[in-house]
Amino acid sequence: YPLIPVVVNFINLRGSMKLETVRPTDKIGNISPRPISIFHCNKDDYVDSKHAELLFSNAKEPKEKWIPVCDKHELVWNFHKEEAEKRAVDFFLKNL
């Protein structure tokens, strides 16, 4: 804020849509059979980890998740760099 409303309006115009109608939890099941890997901090300070759990439960196979101990949004890589890299590389090697 204060740029968020401007960005949302720009996305709505460019995408010919209403961003507030985009609900990943309703759409993630349609991604199958493409694989999904969800990484999320357990105490994310911006998006509650329950969202990751809901995404995971709505996703179809193949799917995997990793919810390590960390508390900052998008910083799972900073808290667990080696493990995050290993999991990401393993995911791509297994699924590409």
Side-chain angles (χ1 to χ4, degrees), residues 19-75:
L19 190 59
E20 58 272 8
T21 65
V22 176
R23 296 186 38 88
T25 54
D26 293 341
K27 300 296 183 185
I28 196 166
N30 299 336
I31 293 172
S32 180
R34 288 172 294 285
I36 300 215
S37 183
I38 297 171
F39 290 19
H40 197 102
C41 289
N42 71 326
K43 296 183 190 288
D44 191 310
D45 62 340
Y46 188 70
V47 177
D48 193 289
S49 63
K50 290 177 187 170
H51 184 70
E53 295 288 357
L54 183 58
L55 283 170
F56 187 77
S57 69
N58 289 355
K60 295 179 181 144
E61 296 293 339
K63 63 182 179 178
E64 60 186 51
K65 70 176 173 180
W66 180 49
I67 301 181
V69 175
C70 54
D71 62 1
K72 297 289 183 199
H73 187 66
E74 298 180 8
L75 293 183

